[in-house]
RNA sequence: GCGGACGUGGCGGAAUGGUAGACGCCGGGGACUUAAAAUCCCCUGAGCUUUGCUCGUGCGGGUUCGAGUCCCGCCGUCCGCACCA
């Protein structure tokens, strides 16, 4: 063996061998137990970033480990290749979206290969290719036929200068990111998927997902937002009726006004012939559309002059148009109870409306004033007519029952979840397979005419969707009546593309989206790994899509991902300096650091030490995985990704850390070089440590606690290095090699040449002797009054009385007790004795 | 605003209610070397009157023989919020 391990040579050599032998190709026909390990596929932005490396290293360790444990593993990779950046590149650099995307894919694929991931590249797919999105169009039409797709009007952000629709992230402080023009809300007719039809199922399904983080399940639960309440109508002074929805019917006696959304019909009527009301509604439209913006914006209202008659008290309540009421939730109108809802409280305070207490901690507190904020908590009803004295829960039921008996309202379940709007007024996406005909309306493209291929001869010289301006593409004849018609020019949300790619990985027939038998074999994904940023949307949409396909009988599986793991970000330190009134950032490499201060190497002047945050180009704190692979090798960067930080938390990148990893690679190499097949002699303690480590590392990998697995491998390495030569020591060295094989496959493969047979990629996980996992001696902590005073060594399983005697015999313990009388002795077998004196 | 999480040495972090700080990084000392790199060995929470003692897991309470861990109340930081993927 050479003195030093040369990653440059070994990495590419073994990557080529794995490729040629197709080691990681999943066999559909295999009789082995199956395991589908999947990481969220990347958007081909141009380069792999360190977050990808972390994500795919975790999945790779699991996939390789599962193979060692005898599973047939499916570990595929693909490209989430549609999306806005390709259009931005086309506009900014004059390149073609498709060419740009495909070039990025080629570059990133080469980068992934250099990291040595055990991927089945034969199943690679890209969502921007017709052989993927054509099947997606077919599935979309299936859902349409099943009544799960419909059209309705919906608001978008409209940039009046660029004449284009903007995504939320393109709207900055209410203005278009390029034009700087004030963004308007505009209504367009768009396609929707009926995810709300599955709201109950998606909610109930969360209960079966034991392998998901509690956090993600809670987030989805809140997102679906099931609430039970009362829908009822007010008689308006205009003679109309106004339906409102409330989750707090128990507070109905505290209602002091009624509010409707700006786009509510009542508001629209009020605006007719009233310039002020019209102006107010326009003002509401100017704001942002996100929930955060709506709810943090100052509460604004406009008094319509109408009044609504309270169903119990008969009082006339003023009707306002309010910017904090959402048309999409409930009925788009609310009864406002300022005492017990903070938004209503803020509004009432601003407009001088009554704030009435109708819930209190106890009946005696009925007239207690509010302490500057609403009280949303539980209690008993006060000042509330027939429900006075009831608990909140009783009152809810009583009010709903009364409304139903008297016929002016009914109990209703309302969901926060809204139907999924999938239309995007963009070019680089899956064409929605519909044709608009003047006489037949929206007609689905016949399935034998799929795929509707996205034309790639488009120009981006003028802003807006190039599909609309394309000379020929959209002009077709109606499939129904044959008269001239036009194609739908909107494309599908890219979340549709990522809602079924995991199904396509299981099988890729040319004539249909997937083979149900292959789905039944491989799905659900055993372990899905990706960023927490996908906790709601992607994961909910994928769950919905799977259920919808199951609903129409295409597949059996209901939940696509049995287990989910959300990994943390990779962070790095930041350095900056204020220059000409703005913050200028420097990369950590440009800065010389001491314990407390940092200076710029080029001018020796101090720079400010910023926070350790997610890598981003603008903060100049990115590191390029390729450079790390070139300087330290793939195994070192993989090892770094697994070390130290728990995988769900952020991982701070550091130069010292990666150097430490590279040193460890060399240290292992030296140790592997000491393997001696002919060594004899037994080292019982080392055998024990070895088998305990194997068992613990297996457990840690299965729990994805890679940082703990790494720590245990270090421990075993430390003791093995120090051990005298023996057969046990050689066995330990061989074992260490196998333990690191999923994590550092290149050095493992290289060293395995001398130690094992065949490829380590095809080797089995080491066996353990269960007898060695149990210690025969244990260290017992001895406490006096809960404080540690001594430790004693005892045989495992020693009876409580013997342990007690040993503890009391300790000189340190005696000294600590002094002349105090012993009141009690607590013995935890094999662990601890606590003397209470 | 709503929802979710997190808080332990100089740093990343270990710790079924039972020996706080495993393991790694940084730092200090030493060995080897003409020298450097590499490597190896030792030390490394704070304080003290140092065979040992006291303090110590964001802050304040509580439960318990025993709390980083459980409960209550604060403080601080971060993340998500429907057209970014």
């Amino acid at each position: 063996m050479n003195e030093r391990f040369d990653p440059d040579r070994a990495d590419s050599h073994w990557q080529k061998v794995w490729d040629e032998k197709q080691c990681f190709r999943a066999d559909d026909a295999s009789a082995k137990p199956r395991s589908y390990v999947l990481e969220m596929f990347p958007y081909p932005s141009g380069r792999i970033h360190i977050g990808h490396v972390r994500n795919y290293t975790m999945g790779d360790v699991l996939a390789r480990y599962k193979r060692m444990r005898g599973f047939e593993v499916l570990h595929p990779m693909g490209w989430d290749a549609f999306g806005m950046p390709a259009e931005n590149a086309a506009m900014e650099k004059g390149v073609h979206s498709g060419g740009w995307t495909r070039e990025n894919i080629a570059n990133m694929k080469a980068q992934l290969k250099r990291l040595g991931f055990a991927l089945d590249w034969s199943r690679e797919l890209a969502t921007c290719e017709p052989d993927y999105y054509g099947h997606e169009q077919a599935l979309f039409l299936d859902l349409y036929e099943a009544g799960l797709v419909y059209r309705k009007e919906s608001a978008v952000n409209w940039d009046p200068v660029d004449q284009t629709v903007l995504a939320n992230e393109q709207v900055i402080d209410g203005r278009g990111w390029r034009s700087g023009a004030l963004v308007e809300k505009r209504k367009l007719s768009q396609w929707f998927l009926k995810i709300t039809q599955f709201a109950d199922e998606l909610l109930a399904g969360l209960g079966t997902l034991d392998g998901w983080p509690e956090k993600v399940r809670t987030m989805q639960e809140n997102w679906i937002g099931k609430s039970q309440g009362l829908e009822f109508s007010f008689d308006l002074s205009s003679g109309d009726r106004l339906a409102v929805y409330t989750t707090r019917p128990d507070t109905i006696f505290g209602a002091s006004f009624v509010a409707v959304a700006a786009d509510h019909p009542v508001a629209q009527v009020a605006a007719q012939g009233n310039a002020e009301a019209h102006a107010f509604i326009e003002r509401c439209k100017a704001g942002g559309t996100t929930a955060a913006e709506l709810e943090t914006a100052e509460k604004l209202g406009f008094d319509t002059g109408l009044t609504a008659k309270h169903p119990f008290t008969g009082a006339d309540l003023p009707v306002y148009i309010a910017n904090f009421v959402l048309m999409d939730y409930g009925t788009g109108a609310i009864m406002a109870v300022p005492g017990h809802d903070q938004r209503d409280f803020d509004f009432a305070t601003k407009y001088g409306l009554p704030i009435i207490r109708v819930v209190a901690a106890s009946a005696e507190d009925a007239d207690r004033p509010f302490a500057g904020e609403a009280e949303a908590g539980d209690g008993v009803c006060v000042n509330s007519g027939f429900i006075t004295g009831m608990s909140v829960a009783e009152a809810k039921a009583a009010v709903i029952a009364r409304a139903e008996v008297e016929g002016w309202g009914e109990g209703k379940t309302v969901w926060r979840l809204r139907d999924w709007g999938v239309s995007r007024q963009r070019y680089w996406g899956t064409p929605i397979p519909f044709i608009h005909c003047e006489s037949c309306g929206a007609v689905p493209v016949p399935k034998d005419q799929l795929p509707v291929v996205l034309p790639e001869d488009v120009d981006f010289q003028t802003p807006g969707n190039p599909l609309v301006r394309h000379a020929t593409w959209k002009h077709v004849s109606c499939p129904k009546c044959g008269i001239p018609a036009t194609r739908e020019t909107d494309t599908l949300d890219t979340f549709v593309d990522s809602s079924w790619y995991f199904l396509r990985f299981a099988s890729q027939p040319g004539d249909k989206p997937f083979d149900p038998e292959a789905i039944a074999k491989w799905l659900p994904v055993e372990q899905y790994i990706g960023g927490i940023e996908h906790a709601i949307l992607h994961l909910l949409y994928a769950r919905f899509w799977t259920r919808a396909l199951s609903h129409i009988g295409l597949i059996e599986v209901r939940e696509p991902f049995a287990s989910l793991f959300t990994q943390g970000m990779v962070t790095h330190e930041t350095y900056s300096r204020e220059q000409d009134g703005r913050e200028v950032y420097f990369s950590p490499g440009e800065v010389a650091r001491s314990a407390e201060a940092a200076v710029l190497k080029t001018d020796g002047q101090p720079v400010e030490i910023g926070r350790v945050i997610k890598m981003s180009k603008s903060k100049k704190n990115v590191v390029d995985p390729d450079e790390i692979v070139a300087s330290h090798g793939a195994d070192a960067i993989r090892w770094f990704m697994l070390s130290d930080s728990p995988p769900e938390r952020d991982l701070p990148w550091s130069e010292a850390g990666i150097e430490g990893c590279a040193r460890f690679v060399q240290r292992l190499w030296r140790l592997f070089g000491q393997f001696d097949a002919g060594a004899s002699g037994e080292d019982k303690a080392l055998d024990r440590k070895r088998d305990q480590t194997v068992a613990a590392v297996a457990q840690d990998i299965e729990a994805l606690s890679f940082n703990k697995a790494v720590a245990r491998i270090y421990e075993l390495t430390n003791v093995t290095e120090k051990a005298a030569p023996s057969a046990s020591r050689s066995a330990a060295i061989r074992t260490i090699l196998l333990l690191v094989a999923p994590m550092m496959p290149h050095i493992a493969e290289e060293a395995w040449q001398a130690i094992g047979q065949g490829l380590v990629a095809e080797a089995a996980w080491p066996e353990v002797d269960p007898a060695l996992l149990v210690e025969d001696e244990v260290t017992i902590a001895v406490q006096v009054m809960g404080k540690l005073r001594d430790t004693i060594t005892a045989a495992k399983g020693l009876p409580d009385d013997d342990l007690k005697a040993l503890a009391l015999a300790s000189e340190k313990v005696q000294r600590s007790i002094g002349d105090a009388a012993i009141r009690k002795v607590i013995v935890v077998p094999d662990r601890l004795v606590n003397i209470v004196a």
Side-chain angles (χ1 to χ4, degrees):
Chain A
M1 269 174 137
N2 290 327
E3 210 141 289
R4 284 184 68 79
F5 173 67
D6 176 10
D8 245 8
R9 202 196 54 76
D11 288 4
S12 55
H13 173 69
W14 293 110
Q15 286 158 16
K16 208 170 131 217
V17 170
W18 296 328
D19 244 4
E20 279 166 1
K21 298 205 170 179
Q22 303 199 346
C23 286
F24 309 119
R25 203 160 173 163
D27 179 5
D28 291 329
S30 172
K32 292 182 192 171
R34 289 163 197 282
S35 175
Y36 186 175
V37 177
L38 184 68
E39 301 96 60
M40 293 178 183
F41 65 164
Y43 177 78
S45 56
R47 306 282 297 165
I48 292 289
H49 60 71
I50 205 99
H52 291 125
V53 180
R54 192 177 191 199
N55 192 182
Y56 302 142
T57 299
M58 290 183 197
D60 203 52
V61 171
L62 190 65
R64 285 176 179 269
Y65 167 79
K66 283 277 176 184
R67 286 173 50 87
M68 292 179 88
R69 296 310 295 255
F71 286 84
E72 185 67 33
V73 173
L74 173 56
H75 187 217
M77 181 55 69
W79 309 95
D80 189 12
F82 274 137
M84 287 200 306
E87 292 186 24
N88 294 336
M91 281 183 261
E92 282 157 18
K93 299 176 194 157
V95 295
H96 187 268
S97 298
W100 181 85
T101 302
R102 292 181 186 103
E103 199 174 303
N104 289 346
I105 288 174
N107 288 335
M108 291 171 75
K109 183 175 177 182
Q111 285 188 293
L112 288 181
K113 290 211 162 194
R114 283 196 284 276
L115 287 155
F117 295 132
L119 292 163
D120 180 354
W121 285 105
S122 74
R123 298 176 190 241
E124 180 184 6
L125 58 82
T127 58
C128 66
E129 303 301 343
D131 63 5
Y132 182 84
Y133 68 70
H135 298 300
E136 183 168 308
Q137 291 167 337
L139 292 174
F140 187 76
L141 293 178
D142 287 340
L143 296 182
Y144 173 77
E145 278 160 30
L148 293 173
V149 177
Y150 67 100
R151 263 162 92 71
K152 74 166 178 185
E153 292 245 300
S154 177
V156 295
N157 300 308
W158 178 255
D159 184 323
V161 170
D162 278 351
Q163 295 282 301
T164 184
V165 173
L166 297 178
N168 279 342
E169 73 155 14
Q170 297 173 317
V171 180
I172 295 155
D173 296 331
R175 293 174 181 274
W177 67 338
R178 280 184 217 284
S179 68
L182 275 176
V183 169
E184 300 165 5
K185 282 179 207 159
R186 180 175 276 209
K187 290 223 162 184
L188 293 179
S189 184
Q190 307 197 58
W191 294 98
F192 283 80
L193 289 177
K194 280 192 189 164
I195 189 171
T196 53
Q197 189 177 314
F198 294 79
D200 242 330
E201 258 190 67
L202 289 167
L203 184 65
L206 289 173
T208 68
L209 298 175
D210 302 330
W212 283 42
E214 190 62 42
K215 167 163 79 166
V216 175
R217 286 193 284 170
T218 308
M219 282 164 91
Q220 292 215 350
E221 191 181 318
N222 290 333
W223 190 257
I224 295 168
K226 182 177 187 171
S227 64
Q228 259 133 356
L230 170 68
E231 182 174 319
F232 69 97
S233 292
F234 282 107
D235 288 323
L236 295 183
S237 51
S238 61
D240 293 329
R241 289 173 71 79
L242 172 64
V244 300
Y245 174 75
T246 177
T247 58
R248 293 292 306 271
D250 53 299
T251 63
I252 193 165
F253 284 90
S256 60
F257 65 100
V258 169
V260 301
D263 35 5
H264 192 279
V266 165
Q268 303 295 325
V269 171
Q272 282 166 16
N274 183 329
E276 263 183 89
H278 185 77
F280 179 78
I281 290 169
E282 288 304 308
R283 196 171 156 197
C284 289
K285 277 190 193 170
T289 55
T290 71
E293 282 172 305
L294 287 173
E295 283 166 40
T296 49
E298 192 192 357
K299 307 282 177 290
L300 294 175
F302 180 86
D303 189 348
T304 59
L306 295 168
T307 58
K309 192 162 285 296
H310 192 288
F312 289 122
T313 67
D316 288 323
L317 308 178
V319 177
Y320 280 79
I321 304 168
N323 66 344
F324 68 93
V325 180
L326 303 174
M327 193 59 216
D328 293 318
Y329 183 77
T331 60
I334 61 162
M335 70 166 198
V337 185
H340 305 284
D341 181 285
Q342 191 57 42
R343 290 166 303 181
D344 298 350
F345 188 96
D346 295 342
F347 192 93
T349 306
K350 182 170 171 119
Y351 292 99
L353 295 158
I355 301 174
I356 309 159
R357 174 179 291 281
V358 288
V359 177
S362 66
E364 292 80 59
D365 288 335
D367 297 314
R368 179 188 246 182
F370 289 95
E373 58 179 18
E375 291 177 20
D378 208 354
V380 294
C381 295
V382 294
N383 309 320
S384 290
F386 78 102
I387 56 171
T388 297
M390 290 185 190
S391 71
V392 162
E394 289 165 349
K396 276 183 184 171
V399 171
I400 291 170
R402 181 86 165 250
E404 286 177 350
V405 167
E406 294 177 0
W408 49 268
E410 59 176 350
K412 202 171 169 184
T413 300
V414 164
W415 305 84
R416 210 183 74 97
L417 184 69
R418 308 201 293 260
D419 275 338
W420 176 13
V422 293
S423 293
R424 295 293 180 271
Q425 297 69 39
R426 287 183 214 296
Y427 160 66
W428 192 237
T430 299
I432 296 175
F434 274 85
I435 289 166
H436 297 285
C437 169
E438 267 182 27
S439 66
C440 308
V443 182
V445 173
K447 276 206 173 169
D448 58 13
Q449 290 173 28
L450 295 182
V452 176
V453 176
L454 186 70
E456 304 217 6
D457 56 330
V458 292
D459 86 281
F460 274 96
Q461 295 312 301
T462 12
N465 185 348
L467 288 181
V468 178
R469 298 187 308 268
H470 192 278
T472 55
W473 181 78
K474 74 172 181 183
H475 302 290
V476 288
S477 51
C478 172
K480 243 187 200 167
C481 69
I483 66 166
T486 57
R487 285 194 189 283
E488 170 67 62
T489 55
D490 284 358
T491 53
L492 287 172
D493 181 1
T494 56
F495 275 124
V496 177
D497 308 336
S498 54
S499 287
W500 72 286
Y501 76 105
F502 43 88
L503 301 176
R504 182 76 183 165
F505 275 143
S507 67
Q508 305 182 333
D511 59 343
K512 53 187 175 187
F514 41 72
D515 168 11
E517 272 179 44
I519 303 286
K521 275 184 182 172
W522 287 111
L523 272 287
V525 171
E526 186 183 1
Q527 181 67 61
Y528 196 34
I529 308 176
I532 184 70
E533 67 273 22
H534 294 291
I536 297 171
L537 296 183
H538 162 57
L539 289 166
L540 189 63
Y541 292 147
R543 292 183 61 220
F544 156 67
W545 193 269
T546 303
R547 277 181 186 269
L549 294 185
S550 163
H551 176 76
I552 62 176
L554 293 185
I555 53 176
E556 298 271 328
V557 64
R558 295 291 189 84
E559 287 290 344
F561 314 118
S563 287
L564 170 74
F565 189 86
T566 55
Q567 105 263 10
M569 298 180 300
V570 182
T571 59
H572 202 190
E573 57 221 350
T574 52
Y575 298 96
S576 64
R577 184 188 282 171
E578 209 181 285
Q579 231 163 273
D580 308 325
R582 61 195 185 90
E583 209 69 6
V584 180
Y585 285 87
F586 303 100
S587 72
E590 296 175 278
V591 171
R593 260 209 85 156
S594 65
E596 300 86 32
V599 294
L600 192 62
K601 283 177 187 167
T602 50
D603 62 10
Q605 295 301 303
V607 289
E608 200 163 320
I609 301 168
R611 289 162 14 86
V612 177
I613 52 170
K614 182 181 181 173
M615 291 188 186
S616 88
K617 277 183 194 159
S618 65
K619 300 287 190 294
K620 288 255 195 99
N621 66 340
V622 289
V623 295
D624 181 1
D626 257 8
E627 286 174 21
I628 307 300
V629 170
S631 54
H632 300 287
D635 291 338
I637 192 171
R638 291 171 62 116
W639 187 251
F640 185 101
M641 292 295 121
L642 302 167
S643 305
D644 293 347
S645 290
E648 69 278 8
R649 279 203 227 166
D650 288 353
L651 170 67
W653 176 264
S654 82
E655 195 52 37
I658 185 68
E659 280 165 12
C661 292
R663 273 201 301 275
F664 183 63
V665 171
Q666 296 301 338
R667 197 174 142 203
L668 279 181
W669 183 249
R670 287 190 296 275
L671 183 63
F672 294 157
Q674 292 166 18
F675 176 82
D676 175 6
S680 62
E682 198 185 34
D683 182 339
K684 206 70 194 162
L686 184 58
D687 287 345
R688 192 181 289 281
K689 180 74 182 170
R690 184 198 65 206
D691 280 15
Q692 286 174 347
T693 304
V694 170
V697 168
Q699 230 172 49
D700 290 336
I701 291 178
E702 279 170 32
L704 306 183
S705 297
F706 303 111
N707 57 320
K708 292 189 214 168
V710 162
R712 292 185 202 282
I713 291 171
Y714 272 117
E715 279 185 51
L716 180 60
T717 305
N718 289 343
V719 302
T720 304
E721 278 178 334
K722 290 186 175 76
S726 65
S728 298
R729 185 173 192 263
S730 287
I733 292 173
R734 188 175 185 278
T735 298
I736 292 171
L737 193 158
L738 290 167
L739 294 184
V740 300
M743 307 176 181
M744 301 198 268
H746 307 91
I747 187 177
E749 207 67 84
E750 187 83 8
W752 190 247
Q753 291 302 287
I755 292 176
Q757 283 175 338
L759 290 174
V760 80
E762 317 212 298
W765 188 252
E767 300 284 336
V768 298
D769 175 359
L772 288 181
L773 298 182
V774 188
E775 292 285 0
D776 47 12
E777 260 190 351
V778 288
T779 306
I780 307 288
V782 184
Q783 300 178 336
V784 177
M785 301 296 289
K787 289 201 173 187
L788 183 73
R789 293 302 170 190
D790 200 3
T791 56
I792 53 179
T793 305
K796 190 178 167 73
L798 203 65
D800 287 8
D801 285 347
D802 296 359
L803 279 179
K804 186 171 158 184
L806 275 174
L808 287 169
S810 158
E811 193 191 315
K812 291 174 184 172
V813 170
Q814 282 302 331
R815 203 185 317 145
S816 180
I817 299 172
D819 354 309
I822 294 168
R823 284 188 285 155
K824 194 172 169 189
V825 178
I826 286 145
V827 180
V828 182
D830 294 336
R831 259 191 180 269
L832 160 145
V833 179
N834 187 17
I835 297 157
V836 187

